[in-house]
Amino acid sequence: MLTQFLTDIWLVYRSVFEFALIGSALGLSIYITLRTGLLSLASAGFMSIGAYVGALLTIHLHTPLLVSVLAGALAAGVIGLLLGLPVLRLSGVYLAIATIGFGEVVRVFMLNIDNLAGRTITGGALGLNNIPRKTETWHLVLFVGLLIYLFVRIDRSRTGRAFDAIRQDHHVAASMGINVVQYRNLAFVLSALIAGAAGVFSAHLTYFVSPNEYGFNGAVRILTFAILGGYLIWLGPIVGAFILTFLPELLRFLGPYRPIVNGVVLILAIIYLPRGLVDPTFWRKVWRQRGKPPSPPPLETSSEAAP
Amino acid sequence: MTPDAPLLQLSSVTKHYGGLAALNQVSFEIARGDIMGLIGPNGAGKTTLLNVISGLAQETSGTVLFNGGDITSLPAHRIASLGIARTYQNIRLFNEMTVEQNLLLGRHTRTRSGMASSLLLLPRQRREERQLRDDTAALLQRMDMLARRDAIAGELAYGDQRRIEIIRALAADPLLLLLDEPSAGMNESETEQLGRFILDVRNQGVTILIIEHDMNLISQVCDQVVVLNFGEVISQGTPQQVQSDPLVIEAYLGQEED
């Protein structure tokens, strides 16, 4: 009875689960840049590069999925390295604008090199639609698992501490010997590698890539994963991706009004939990106050309480 | 390099912001093991000079020699790794982090094993992390602040934040420590305590350049004092000498109280 029920659920929601995992990877891709204080919207563009490179290799050279994934990630990573050198001099909203521009360049590029010397390359606006389905659920679970391992290990190293220091005050970080430019470039390239790999997995999951899938809307959607979930620890963007991928499916009964819900959830999160759902400081406070009557703010304890 | 050569040597350091000369031909030296005071009315260019030395601002002309090498055009992170650490006029701790995390960052230049060795779970990295935590604990112990190790920096009492910021700078084992008005906002007894703390730090072999308004603290700790006014050095000598220098008295009394 129960197994039957669970199997049914799995069959219905399997593809949503797969999309949520790809969303998680993309959320982690933008998280690593946010963590160093960079507002980059380049992840969708990197995903597009990865998807096309991986798909073309699979179609023309019949490469195994792993090779396509590595090649797609590497292509995005190299572009990320080259792009990062000039644009990472910008900060705040200027960087956001520059990276949106990058996404548009990628989109228009893919749209216009549809064929070269008579050979079909990207297929223009029609995209590529004869990609074999090679991505299995366990590939994605393993991929996200490896990313989690990556971030846990970064957290436990001087690299992770340097990222956090740069986000909080990059002048102070620099005067402590942290090479801000180098660490930001590292974060940007990691972001590109992750998004590129996610693009290849996505292309081999949906059999299909087209330029418009990865445009401005894609970039903003990825950003919302990190905004809703939070970008202070790696769990945040994963939670955000799962909520924002599953919510529309669970709310099918709302019909055409469904897309509104994501927007409303996002607005509520920004107002009430501006640091995202996974905010360690917020939950620590909730935990400390649990069961206690309303008490004075817990902030003043530290100076006197210590022996 | 002879051991009695000065640790820091400024020659004709000039800094223009547009048409304004924030620093004009500033030259002086700090001997190893000395505590040098840097005083002057508000807007005299004291903090700008600290920014130039630590690499947060680029001088327009002039040279800065440190420990025998030219650091004039080096970026801040390179200067830090050569052994200059600093604090800020308005405390700039990483407020969301614990005291320990702040100190671990302060010791960034003394660590080597980064992301790659962490990913590969190299024993070298684990050893280094353990050593790092032991070192910061020992430093806190020495400075009598071990009880604050796990406190969130932004939640500490004001005086403790000042102290932790200095300790964070010390975590780098600097040769030269730059302090920007460490007594700001402290009462008389706290300031006196701070003075003893600074002398302690010097006795551990650290050379110190300190910006300060409190003349009692200056007399208590400084071997030498440089007086800046409108970006120029107007006097230099022992605390007693500069306090009786008519130019200095004029600079202070010729304008409104700070």
Side-chain angles (χ1 to χ4, degrees):
Chain A
M1 248 326 258
L2 187 65
T3 26
Q4 185 57 44
F5 176 70
L6 289 176
T7 315
D8 287 347
I9 295 257
W10 174 244
L11 288 176
V12 174
Y13 288 109
R14 185 179 130 185
S15 66
V16 187
F17 180 64
E18 289 167 342
F19 285 121
L21 287 172
I22 288 186
S24 301
L26 292 168
L28 288 171
S29 142
I30 199 165
Y31 152 82
I32 183 78
T33 49
L34 286 170
R35 192 163 157 191
T36 58
L38 296 170
L39 178 52
S40 155
L41 288 164
S43 291
F46 292 134
M47 184 190 187
S48 173
I49 292 168
Y52 274 99
V53 169
L56 288 169
L57 282 175
T58 306
I59 291 169
H60 296 295
L61 300 175
H62 310 289
T63 50
L65 181 63
L66 182 62
V67 173
S68 300
V69 167
L70 292 177
L74 199 65
V78 169
I79 301 282
L81 184 63
L82 296 176
L83 177 68
L85 294 177
V87 302
L88 294 186
R89 290 162 187 271
L90 305 170
S91 61
V93 73
Y94 300 100
L95 177 65
I97 292 168
T99 49
I100 289 170
F102 163 72
E104 281 305 289
V105 169
V106 172
R107 189 180 69 83
V108 172
F109 184 77
M110 298 306 182
L111 204 56
N112 286 295
I113 56 157
D114 50 345
N115 62 65
L116 214 69
R119 276 200 75 140
T120 307
I121 308 281
T122 64
L126 296 175
L128 298 168
N129 52 17
N130 50 348
I131 306 165
R133 180 182 163 123
K134 285 191 166 183
T135 304
E136 302 291 342
T137 314
W138 69 267
H139 294 153
L140 296 171
V141 173
L142 183 67
F143 176 46
V144 173
L146 283 174
L147 291 180
I148 291 173
Y149 175 75
L150 170 77
F151 286 111
V152 168
R153 291 314 304 172
I154 286 179
D155 281 349
R156 294 186 187 170
S157 73
R158 75 202 282 264
T159 310
R161 287 192 294 270
F163 283 161
D164 288 333
I166 291 168
R167 185 188 70 245
Q168 289 189 28
D169 191 331
H170 64 94
H171 286 124
V172 174
S175 72
M176 291 178 149
I178 293 168
N179 188 339
V180 175
V181 175
Q182 194 181 312
Y183 277 103
R184 283 192 158 160
N185 275 306
L186 172 67
F188 199 64
V189 170
L190 280 175
S191 169
L193 288 169
I194 296 169
V200 184
F201 280 122
S202 161
H204 293 80
L205 185 68
T206 60
Y207 329 109
F208 174 71
V209 286
S210 84
N212 294 327
E213 261 185 287
Y214 310 110
F216 179 65
N217 286 339
V220 171
R221 203 172 58 90
I222 296 169
L223 179 63
T224 59
F225 296 157
I227 299 283
L228 174 65
Y231 54 85
L232 297 170
I233 57 174
W234 51 264
L235 187 58
I238 297 179
V239 169
F242 267 79
I243 292 176
L244 289 175
T245 313
F246 269 91
L247 204 55
E249 294 307 318
L250 300 175
L251 297 173
R252 282 209 169 270
F253 62 90
L254 289 176
Y257 296 103
R258 274 195 305 154
I260 294 175
V261 176
N262 275 9
V264 171
V265 167
L266 198 60
I267 290 170
L268 291 177
I270 289 172
I271 294 173
Y272 293 107
L273 283 170
R275 289 145 61 100
L277 285 170
V278 188
D279 172 3
T281 322
F282 175 80
W283 294 110
R284 206 180 300 135
K285 260 177 218 166
V286 170
W287 179 251
R288 268 195 234 165
Q289 286 182 321
R290 138 201 73 111
K292 284 186 211 157
S295 56
L299 289 179
E300 269 132 38
T301 50
S302 54
S303 53
E304 284 88 23
Chain B
M1 229 8 272
T2 52
D4 46 333
L7 182 65
L8 186 81
Q9 202 173 356
L10 304 175
S11 319
S12 312
V13 170
T14 299
K15 170 74 187 171
H16 289 285
Y17 286 109
L20 179 83
L23 295 173
N24 192 17
Q25 304 283 328
V26 173
S27 305
F28 65 87
E29 301 174 349
I30 307 178
R32 283 165 200 274
D34 261 11
I35 299 182
M36 169 73 89
L38 182 58
I39 65 171
N42 283 336
K46 304 184 295 293
T47 296
T48 303
L49 187 61
L50 244 57
N51 286 343
V52 164
I53 296 171
S54 61
L56 292 185
Q58 184 64 52
E59 52 276 71
T60 312
S61 64
T63 53
V64 184
L65 299 181
F66 174 68
N67 202 16
D70 188 346
I71 62 166
T72 310
S73 51
L74 291 184
H77 69 269
R78 295 267 297 115
I79 291 175
S81 67
L82 291 175
I84 298 184
R86 65 170 294 178
T87 67
Y88 299 85
Q89 194 173 356
N90 45 335
I91 304 168
R92 284 166 86 172
L93 286 169
F94 299 114
N95 281 331
E96 295 170 17
M97 298 184 190
T98 64
V99 167
E100 183 183 45
Q101 286 168 322
N102 269 280
L103 264 59
L104 294 177
L105 276 160
R107 228 176 147 63
H108 184 84
T109 53
R110 301 281 161 230
T111 56
R112 286 289 160 268
S113 304
M115 184 178 73
S117 39
S118 178
L119 277 177
L120 299 173
L121 297 170
L122 294 187
R124 180 165 55 105
Q125 195 252 350
R126 206 170 309 174
R127 247 193 333 266
E128 188 181 90
E129 286 289 309
R130 205 176 314 126
Q131 183 67 48
L132 193 55
R133 281 174 169 75
D134 291 349
D135 289 347
T136 52
L139 177 61
L140 282 169
Q141 174 85 63
R142 208 162 68 227
M143 296 298 172
D144 221 9
M145 295 287 283
L146 192 57
R148 302 283 187 275
R149 180 171 65 177
D150 298 316
I152 303 290
E155 297 177 2
L156 286 175
Y158 181 81
D160 281 353
Q161 291 196 12
R162 281 265 172 226
R163 240 160 271 146
I164 292 297
E165 202 194 22
I166 299 174
I167 296 173
R168 178 178 71 177
L170 290 174
D173 295 337
L175 298 171
L176 175 66
L177 176 64
L178 310 173
L179 299 174
D180 196 346
E181 281 195 50
S183 84
M186 286 188 176
N187 65 30
E188 215 169 307
S189 78
E190 281 173 325
T191 306
E192 215 182 291
Q193 216 184 335
L194 176 75
R196 285 197 296 274
F197 182 83
I198 291 171
L199 289 169
D200 259 3
V201 170
R202 187 262 296 273
N203 291 339
Q204 291 166 26
V206 183
T207 307
I208 297 172
L209 174 61
I210 175 174
I211 294 181
E212 197 40 74
H213 278 301
D214 187 317
M215 286 312 290
N216 290 329
L217 182 61
I218 289 282
S219 310
Q220 184 190 351
V221 303
C222 292
D223 304 297
Q224 288 279 312
V225 179
V226 164
V227 189
L228 277 186
N229 194 26
F230 295 114
E232 297 185 23
V233 176
I234 57 166
S235 181
Q236 185 173 357
T238 65
Q240 289 73 28
Q241 285 167 344
V242 299
Q243 280 184 75
S244 53
D245 186 331
L247 273 174
V248 176
I249 295 166
E250 191 194 308
Y252 272 92
L253 298 183
Q255 62 168 38
E256 301 268 326
E257 278 283 328
D258 296 329

mmCIF file of all heavy atoms in Angstrom, chain B residues 172-198:
data_model
loop_
_atom_site.group_PDB
_atom_site.id
_atom_site.type_symbol
_atom_site.label_atom_id
_atom_site.label_comp_id
_atom_site.label_asym_id
_atom_site.label_seq_id
_atom_site.Cartn_x
_atom_site.Cartn_y
_atom_site.Cartn_z
ATOM 1 N N ALA B 172 48.520 38.801 13.472
ATOM 2 C CA ALA B 172 49.364 38.640 12.289
ATOM 3 C C ALA B 172 50.851 38.620 12.645
ATOM 4 O O ALA B 172 51.682 38.537 11.750
ATOM 5 C CB ALA B 172 49.084 39.769 11.301
ATOM 6 N N ASP B 173 51.197 38.701 13.938
ATOM 7 C CA ASP B 173 52.595 38.849 14.363
ATOM 8 C C ASP B 173 53.273 39.992 13.624
ATOM 9 O O ASP B 173 54.308 39.795 12.973
ATOM 10 C CB ASP B 173 53.415 37.568 14.102
ATOM 11 C CG ASP B 173 52.932 36.411 14.946
ATOM 12 O OD1 ASP B 173 52.310 36.667 15.992
ATOM 13 O OD2 ASP B 173 53.184 35.259 14.548
ATOM 14 N N PRO B 174 52.693 41.199 13.673
ATOM 15 C CA PRO B 174 53.266 42.285 12.867
ATOM 16 C C PRO B 174 54.577 42.795 13.464
ATOM 17 O O PRO B 174 54.832 42.627 14.658
ATOM 18 C CB PRO B 174 52.193 43.375 12.942
ATOM 19 C CG PRO B 174 51.545 43.159 14.269
ATOM 20 C CD PRO B 174 51.569 41.658 14.498
ATOM 21 N N LEU B 175 55.384 43.418 12.607
ATOM 22 C CA LEU B 175 56.561 44.135 13.090
ATOM 23 C C LEU B 175 56.160 45.542 13.498
ATOM 24 O O LEU B 175 56.724 46.131 14.404
ATOM 25 C CB LEU B 175 57.612 44.217 11.979
ATOM 26 C CG LEU B 175 58.167 42.894 11.479
ATOM 27 C CD1 LEU B 175 59.031 43.115 10.237
ATOM 28 C CD2 LEU B 175 58.980 42.226 12.578
ATOM 29 N N LEU B 176 55.171 46.083 12.746
ATOM 30 C CA LEU B 176 54.717 47.447 12.997
ATOM 31 C C LEU B 176 53.197 47.435 13.166
ATOM 32 O O LEU B 176 52.473 46.859 12.359
ATOM 33 C CB LEU B 176 55.091 48.355 11.818
ATOM 34 C CG LEU B 176 54.573 49.794 11.874
ATOM 35 C CD1 LEU B 176 55.209 50.558 13.028
ATOM 36 C CD2 LEU B 176 54.856 50.515 10.552
ATOM 37 N N LEU B 177 52.743 48.063 14.250
ATOM 38 C CA LEU B 177 51.305 48.135 14.521
ATOM 39 C C LEU B 177 50.876 49.584 14.405
ATOM 40 O O LEU B 177 51.479 50.475 15.028
ATOM 41 C CB LEU B 177 51.037 47.592 15.929
ATOM 42 C CG LEU B 177 49.607 47.652 16.453
ATOM 43 C CD1 LEU B 177 48.681 46.786 15.613
ATOM 44 C CD2 LEU B 177 49.556 47.200 17.911
ATOM 45 N N LEU B 178 49.842 49.836 13.589
ATOM 46 C CA LEU B 178 49.325 51.196 13.429
ATOM 47 C C LEU B 178 48.006 51.294 14.197
ATOM 48 O O LEU B 178 47.072 50.544 13.926
ATOM 49 C CB LEU B 178 49.076 51.505 11.948
ATOM 50 C CG LEU B 178 50.222 51.196 10.972
ATOM 51 C CD1 LEU B 178 49.756 51.390 9.524
ATOM 52 C CD2 LEU B 178 51.421 52.076 11.262
ATOM 53 N N LEU B 179 47.939 52.199 15.169
ATOM 54 C CA LEU B 179 46.723 52.340 15.970
ATOM 55 C C LEU B 179 46.099 53.705 15.691
ATOM 56 O O LEU B 179 46.750 54.734 15.851
ATOM 57 C CB LEU B 179 47.049 52.231 17.467
ATOM 58 C CG LEU B 179 47.661 50.920 17.953
ATOM 59 C CD1 LEU B 179 48.050 51.035 19.424
ATOM 60 C CD2 LEU B 179 46.684 49.772 17.755
ATOM 61 N N ASP B 180 44.840 53.722 15.274
ATOM 62 C CA ASP B 180 44.172 54.980 14.947
ATOM 63 C C ASP B 180 43.207 55.360 16.064
ATOM 64 O O ASP B 180 42.115 54.805 16.153
ATOM 65 C CB ASP B 180 43.454 54.852 13.601
ATOM 66 C CG ASP B 180 43.074 56.213 13.024
ATOM 67 O OD1 ASP B 180 43.130 57.208 13.774
ATOM 68 O OD2 ASP B 180 42.726 56.264 11.836
ATOM 69 N N GLU B 181 43.614 56.255 16.924
ATOM 70 C CA GLU B 181 42.823 56.729 18.064
ATOM 71 C C GLU B 181 42.211 55.609 18.890
ATOM 72 O O GLU B 181 40.994 55.511 19.023
ATOM 73 C CB GLU B 181 41.706 57.659 17.569
ATOM 74 C CG GLU B 181 42.230 59.039 17.266
ATOM 75 C CD GLU B 181 41.104 60.044 17.127
ATOM 76 O OE1 GLU B 181 40.249 60.079 18.036
ATOM 77 O OE2 GLU B 181 41.082 60.762 16.124
ATOM 78 N N PRO B 182 43.047 54.755 19.464
ATOM 79 C CA PRO B 182 42.507 53.621 20.217
ATOM 80 C C PRO B 182 41.726 54.034 21.463
ATOM 81 O O PRO B 182 40.878 53.272 21.915
ATOM 82 C CB PRO B 182 43.762 52.818 20.586
ATOM 83 C CG PRO B 182 44.880 53.785 20.512
ATOM 84 C CD PRO B 182 44.513 54.753 19.443
ATOM 85 N N SER B 183 41.968 55.227 21.999
ATOM 86 C CA SER B 183 41.280 55.583 23.245
ATOM 87 C C SER B 183 39.948 56.297 22.992
ATOM 88 O O SER B 183 39.261 56.653 23.948
ATOM 89 C CB SER B 183 42.176 56.465 24.115
ATOM 90 O OG SER B 183 42.066 57.809 23.704
ATOM 91 N N ALA B 184 39.595 56.504 21.703
ATOM 92 C CA ALA B 184 38.361 57.233 21.408
ATOM 93 C C ALA B 184 37.182 56.586 22.121
ATOM 94 O O ALA B 184 36.992 55.369 22.058
ATOM 95 C CB ALA B 184 38.123 57.269 19.903
ATOM 96 N N GLY B 185 36.408 57.383 22.841
ATOM 97 C CA GLY B 185 35.212 56.874 23.500
ATOM 98 C C GLY B 185 35.477 56.174 24.818
ATOM 99 O O GLY B 185 34.572 55.612 25.424
ATOM 100 N N MET B 186 36.721 56.194 25.286
ATOM 101 C CA MET B 186 37.029 55.527 26.559
ATOM 102 C C MET B 186 37.092 56.559 27.685
ATOM 103 O O MET B 186 37.480 57.711 27.462
ATOM 104 C CB MET B 186 38.376 54.820 26.479
ATOM 105 C CG MET B 186 38.362 53.551 25.661
ATOM 106 S SD MET B 186 39.927 52.684 25.815
ATOM 107 C CE MET B 186 39.571 51.202 24.881
ATOM 108 N N ASN B 187 36.756 56.133 28.913
ATOM 109 C CA ASN B 187 36.909 57.043 30.042
ATOM 110 C C ASN B 187 38.343 56.980 30.563
ATOM 111 O O ASN B 187 39.190 56.237 30.056
ATOM 112 C CB ASN B 187 35.878 56.734 31.133
ATOM 113 C CG ASN B 187 36.096 55.366 31.752
ATOM 114 O OD1 ASN B 187 37.229 54.881 31.823
ATOM 115 N ND2 ASN B 187 35.030 54.740 32.186
ATOM 116 N N GLU B 188 38.617 57.785 31.632
ATOM 117 C CA GLU B 188 39.993 57.950 32.086
ATOM 118 C C GLU B 188 40.645 56.631 32.515
ATOM 119 O O GLU B 188 41.761 56.326 32.122
ATOM 120 C CB GLU B 188 40.008 58.938 33.253
ATOM 121 C CG GLU B 188 41.226 59.822 33.281
ATOM 122 C CD GLU B 188 41.042 60.950 34.284
ATOM 123 O OE1 GLU B 188 40.014 61.667 34.199
ATOM 124 O OE2 GLU B 188 41.892 61.080 35.163
ATOM 125 N N SER B 189 39.910 55.836 33.282
ATOM 126 C CA SER B 189 40.536 54.610 33.797
ATOM 127 C C SER B 189 40.703 53.585 32.681
ATOM 128 O O SER B 189 41.693 52.851 32.645
ATOM 129 C CB SER B 189 39.724 54.036 34.963
ATOM 130 O OG SER B 189 38.591 53.365 34.496
ATOM 131 N N GLU B 190 39.748 53.561 31.751
ATOM 132 C CA GLU B 190 39.885 52.648 30.607
ATOM 133 C C GLU B 190 41.098 53.037 29.769
ATOM 134 O O GLU B 190 41.838 52.184 29.276
ATOM 135 C CB GLU B 190 38.628 52.690 29.721
ATOM 136 C CG GLU B 190 37.469 51.884 30.259
ATOM 137 C CD GLU B 190 36.196 52.106 29.441
ATOM 138 O OE1 GLU B 190 35.967 53.221 28.952
ATOM 139 O OE2 GLU B 190 35.416 51.159 29.315
ATOM 140 N N THR B 191 41.298 54.355 29.605
ATOM 141 C CA THR B 191 42.428 54.837 28.810
ATOM 142 C C THR B 191 43.756 54.464 29.460
ATOM 143 O O THR B 191 44.699 54.051 28.783
ATOM 144 C CB THR B 191 42.346 56.366 28.637
ATOM 145 O OG1 THR B 191 41.069 56.693 28.096
ATOM 146 C CG2 THR B 191 43.424 56.869 27.711
ATOM 147 N N GLU B 192 43.785 54.585 30.793
ATOM 148 C CA GLU B 192 45.018 54.241 31.492
ATOM 149 C C GLU B 192 45.351 52.759 31.316
ATOM 150 O O GLU B 192 46.492 52.368 31.082
ATOM 151 C CB GLU B 192 44.855 54.571 32.968
ATOM 152 C CG GLU B 192 46.132 55.068 33.605
ATOM 153 C CD GLU B 192 45.909 55.318 35.072
ATOM 154 O OE1 GLU B 192 45.164 56.267 35.385
ATOM 155 O OE2 GLU B 192 46.440 54.554 35.889
ATOM 156 N N GLN B 193 44.266 51.943 31.404
ATOM 157 C CA GLN B 193 44.410 50.502 31.209
ATOM 158 C C GLN B 193 44.926 50.214 29.795
ATOM 159 O O GLN B 193 45.813 49.382 29.603
ATOM 160 C CB GLN B 193 43.025 49.888 31.383
ATOM 161 C CG GLN B 193 43.013 48.553 32.053
ATOM 162 C CD GLN B 193 41.580 48.020 32.077
ATOM 163 O OE1 GLN B 193 40.598 48.772 32.026
ATOM 164 N NE2 GLN B 193 41.455 46.718 32.124
ATOM 165 N N LEU B 194 44.367 50.960 28.835
ATOM 166 C CA LEU B 194 44.794 50.805 27.439
ATOM 167 C C LEU B 194 46.285 51.121 27.302
ATOM 168 O O LEU B 194 47.025 50.433 26.602
ATOM 169 C CB LEU B 194 43.965 51.724 26.539
ATOM 170 C CG LEU B 194 44.358 51.736 25.053
ATOM 171 C CD1 LEU B 194 43.870 50.466 24.380
ATOM 172 C CD2 LEU B 194 43.779 52.956 24.350
ATOM 173 N N GLY B 195 46.732 52.178 28.024
ATOM 174 C CA GLY B 195 48.141 52.561 27.975
ATOM 175 C C GLY B 195 49.033 51.417 28.428
ATOM 176 O O GLY B 195 50.040 51.106 27.780
ATOM 177 N N ARG B 196 48.639 50.769 29.523
ATOM 178 C CA ARG B 196 49.445 49.630 30.007
ATOM 179 C C ARG B 196 49.453 48.499 28.979
ATOM 180 O O ARG B 196 50.476 47.860 28.740
ATOM 181 C CB ARG B 196 48.886 49.138 31.348
ATOM 182 C CG ARG B 196 49.233 50.054 32.516
ATOM 183 C CD ARG B 196 49.038 49.343 33.849
ATOM 184 N NE ARG B 196 47.655 48.982 34.102
ATOM 185 C CZ ARG B 196 46.763 49.820 34.667
ATOM 186 N NH1 ARG B 196 47.121 51.028 35.052
ATOM 187 N NH2 ARG B 196 45.522 49.434 34.865
ATOM 188 N N PHE B 197 48.277 48.301 28.362
ATOM 189 C CA PHE B 197 48.121 47.275 27.336
ATOM 190 C C PHE B 197 49.072 47.542 26.161
ATOM 191 O O PHE B 197 49.772 46.651 25.675
ATOM 192 C CB PHE B 197 46.657 47.297 26.885
ATOM 193 C CG PHE B 197 46.260 46.275 25.864
ATOM 194 C CD1 PHE B 197 45.932 44.984 26.236
ATOM 195 C CD2 PHE B 197 46.172 46.617 24.520
ATOM 196 C CE1 PHE B 197 45.539 44.061 25.296
ATOM 197 C CE2 PHE B 197 45.781 45.690 23.577
ATOM 198 C CZ PHE B 197 45.464 44.417 23.968
ATOM 199 N N ILE B 198 49.141 48.811 25.739
ATOM 200 C CA ILE B 198 50.004 49.181 24.608
ATOM 201 C C ILE B 198 51.480 48.968 24.967
ATOM 202 O O ILE B 198 52.258 48.454 24.161
ATOM 203 C CB ILE B 198 49.735 50.645 24.191
ATOM 204 C CG1 ILE B 198 48.347 50.751 23.561
ATOM 205 C CG2 ILE B 198 50.796 51.144 23.213
ATOM 206 C CD1 ILE B 198 47.879 52.165 23.315
#
